[in-house]
Structure formats: structure tokens, C-alpha cells
Amino acid sequence: LPKGVLNIVTGPGETVGEALARHPGVDKLAFTGETLTGKEIMRAAADTLKRVSLELGGKSPNIVFADADIEEAVKGALMGIFFNQGECCCAASRLFLETKIHDKFMDQMVSFASKMRVGDPLDPKTEMGPLISEAQFNKVMDYIDTGKEEGAELACGGKSMESDGYFVRPTIFDNVRNDMKIAREEIFGPVVSALTFKSIDEAIESGNQTPYGLAAAVWTKDIKKAHAAARQLRAGTVWINTYNAFDAASPFGGYKQSGFGRELGIHSLELYTQIKSVWVNLS
């Protein structure tokens, strides 16, 4: 690259990040991170009216209907929440199960999660590594304690490992209510909350009861039902019978407090270009 095309400036957000957000020489900001930080960036950018795009937090609903391929849906649910130790903005942290398949699904998911190999991320046999920092480890453990206090049933996990590093075992809460803190707030760790529903309308209503809207998933063999759910879910990405599928041509971004603007695809180019009208009198 020619000199000056790419400049990397490192440092904490309250100094480097704020300076970039406020500087009149910066025309566009793109931020990926926590929702509260995104709000601070918008406030800092307001004085110069620079363009901002934000890809923020999520509390994504993963909805499994009774007519789904249960084995595939279990695999998808495990990948959706335990990929990258749950430190993923679109993590499937709310698992909605149709009542009639709840017991069968939970038995399979808990069985798999309990056997996951947690340890050194450089070991090829490891299936889940440590959290990013001590602060994040403590935050996740606090949420787990809160889930227990709120009356959710701890189906597996819920504890750290007795080893060096910030390891948290894959954690599944059952019998969760949508108004519980563990179902409302982004934990950003390997913790999933399981809830039940009886109809597609109930699933959609409960899935949308969140300030976030980054992603969602629907598992069913009925494609009409899948598309009906996808239309009504307020999320920037809806996966059908899969999870964490991405492509450079497909835009990614959120609704509501998950941010605005889209990464990837042609829509991302619109964030970094301006439209100009030029009129010429040829007479």
C-alpha cells in the first residue's frame, strides 16, 4: 500500500477513540463493539456531523420448531452460542424451543455441552478456549450467579475450571423467563438461556422482545413457516436451518440498539462514498 493509505493507531477508547470521533479531519467512523460505547461515539461525532456506522451488541433468538431436524438444530444451537466462547456479537444466546420438543432437545444439547473439551486454544483437540480477560471472566460469572438468583435452572456448566486462565465451562440455563436479566442483557460469554413457546406468534413476539436486533435463526422443515418468521423477526440477519453463515456479498448489520449501517456487500460501499450531482450548461 502507498504510504498514508492505512494508518493504525492503538490506544484506549477514552483517549484515541474519542479523539478520532471528535476530530474534524475524520469524515467517517465505523465501530464494532458494545452498545454503550456506540452511543458515546455518536455523541462525540455529533459536533462535526461526521457519518457513523455501528455494529453493536446482540441478544439473538434461536427459534426451534417441533418439525425441525432436531439433531441439526442441536448442532446449530451449540455452534451458535459456544463459537468463540460466546464472545460473538451475533451469538445465539436465547434458545426458544417449541414446548413439545423441549425435553428431547435439552437432553441432547446438555449431553453434548457437558462433554465439550475446554482448554488450551492451541491444542487441536480443544473445542472451547478461555475468555478474553479477567474483567470479562468476572462479568460472565456474575451473570451466571444472577441467573441462579433469578430462579433459572442451571442445566450444565455454571462454573470456572480449576486451571490457569479465564475458562468458563459451557453453560445452559433452562426454564428462563424473557424478563430475566440473563435473557435481556448481552453476556458475551458461553451462556445460553432456554425458553419455550407454543405457537409461531408467541415465538416471534418473544424473540422480538429485546432492545437488540442483530441476528436470529429459525429451524423448521416448513419453508413457508420459515419465511413467515424471517419477515417478522426484527433482525438484520435471519438464518434458516443454519447459524453463523456469512458471505462477503451478503450485508451484515443490526436493527434497534444493535446499530445501523451494513458491513459486507454493496451496501457497505455506500457507507464510504458520497453522492454528488454535477450540472453542466452545454449551450
Side-chain angles (χ1 to χ4, degrees):
L1 292 175
K3 290 184 178 180
V5 172
L6 174 65
N7 299 284
I8 299 174
V9 183
T10 60
E14 59 267 23
T15 52
V16 174
E18 184 172 358
L20 288 170
R22 295 187 180 280
H23 200 286
V26 176
D27 296 324
K28 167 68 172 65
L29 282 173
F31 173 75
T32 300
E34 188 181 27
T35 297
L36 290 176
T37 306
K39 293 178 180 179
E40 289 298 320
I41 287 174
M42 286 191 69
R43 294 186 185 99
D47 287 342
T48 55
L49 289 179
K50 57 172 55 70
R51 300 172 73 192
V52 177
S53 60
L54 303 170
E55 197 266 271
L56 307 175
K59 198 68 180 175
S60 300
N62 188 21
I63 301 171
V64 185
F65 290 97
D67 61 355
D69 183 325
I70 301 300
E71 290 187 4
E72 288 301 311
V74 168
K75 293 177 184 177
L78 291 166
M79 169 61 74
I81 185 58
F82 299 132
F83 167 77
N84 206 49
Q85 300 79 241
E87 294 175 315
C88 180
C89 53
C90 57
S93 52
R94 289 187 301 153
L95 175 63
F96 291 91
L97 302 173
E98 192 164 353
T99 304
K100 63 183 70 174
I101 63 164
H102 169 271
D103 293 349
K104 178 180 179 181
F105 194 100
M106 288 298 293
D107 286 345
Q108 290 189 31
M109 188 169 178
V110 169
S111 177
F112 277 112
S114 301
K115 297 173 185 175
M116 286 182 67
R117 292 185 289 268
V118 182
D120 183 356
L122 298 180
D123 185 342
K125 296 181 180 180
T126 294
E127 295 174 295
M128 200 177 81
L131 297 178
I132 189 67
S133 66
E134 182 178 11
Q136 183 60 24
F137 170 84
N138 291 333
K139 176 184 175 183
V140 171
M141 295 306 297
D142 285 344
Y143 271 111
I144 291 174
D145 290 339
T146 298
K148 297 175 185 177
E149 293 167 1
E150 289 182 316
E153 177 187 337
L154 184 63
C156 74
K159 61 180 69 174
S160 60
M161 294 178 58
E162 296 178 357
S163 61
D164 293 334
Y166 308 121
F167 296 96
V168 177
R169 296 188 182 279
T171 300
I172 301 174
F173 277 105
D174 198 4
N175 295 320
V176 177
R177 299 189 315 273
N178 222 14
D179 61 349
M180 289 182 175
K181 187 175 181 180
I182 58 171
R184 294 195 320 269
E185 299 183 9
E186 184 179 38
I187 298 174
F188 217 65
V191 182
V192 62
S193 298
L195 306 91
T196 58
F197 67 91
K198 295 181 180 179
S199 68
I200 183 172
D201 290 339
E202 183 184 358
I204 299 304
E205 181 181 2
S206 297
N208 284 334
Q209 285 178 348
T210 171
Y212 298 108
L214 188 57
V218 178
W219 299 82
T220 175
K221 294 177 182 177
D222 185 340
I223 194 64
K224 290 184 178 180
K225 182 194 295 183
H227 280 297
R231 280 194 302 272
Q232 296 176 72
L233 285 166
R234 299 194 65 200
T237 296
V238 179
W239 290 295
I240 297 174
N241 295 333
T242 188
Y243 209 95
N244 280 339
F246 299 96
D247 189 279
S250 181
F252 182 79
Y255 285 32
K256 298 184 285 187
Q257 292 192 38
S258 288
F260 51 83
R262 293 295 183 266
E263 300 172 353
L264 308 177
I266 192 170
H267 299 283
S268 66
L269 299 180
E270 296 171 355
L271 298 175
Y272 299 95
T273 55
Q274 289 275 24
I275 296 174
K276 179 184 291 185
S277 296
V278 178
W279 293 71
V280 179
N281 184 348
L282 298 178
S283 60

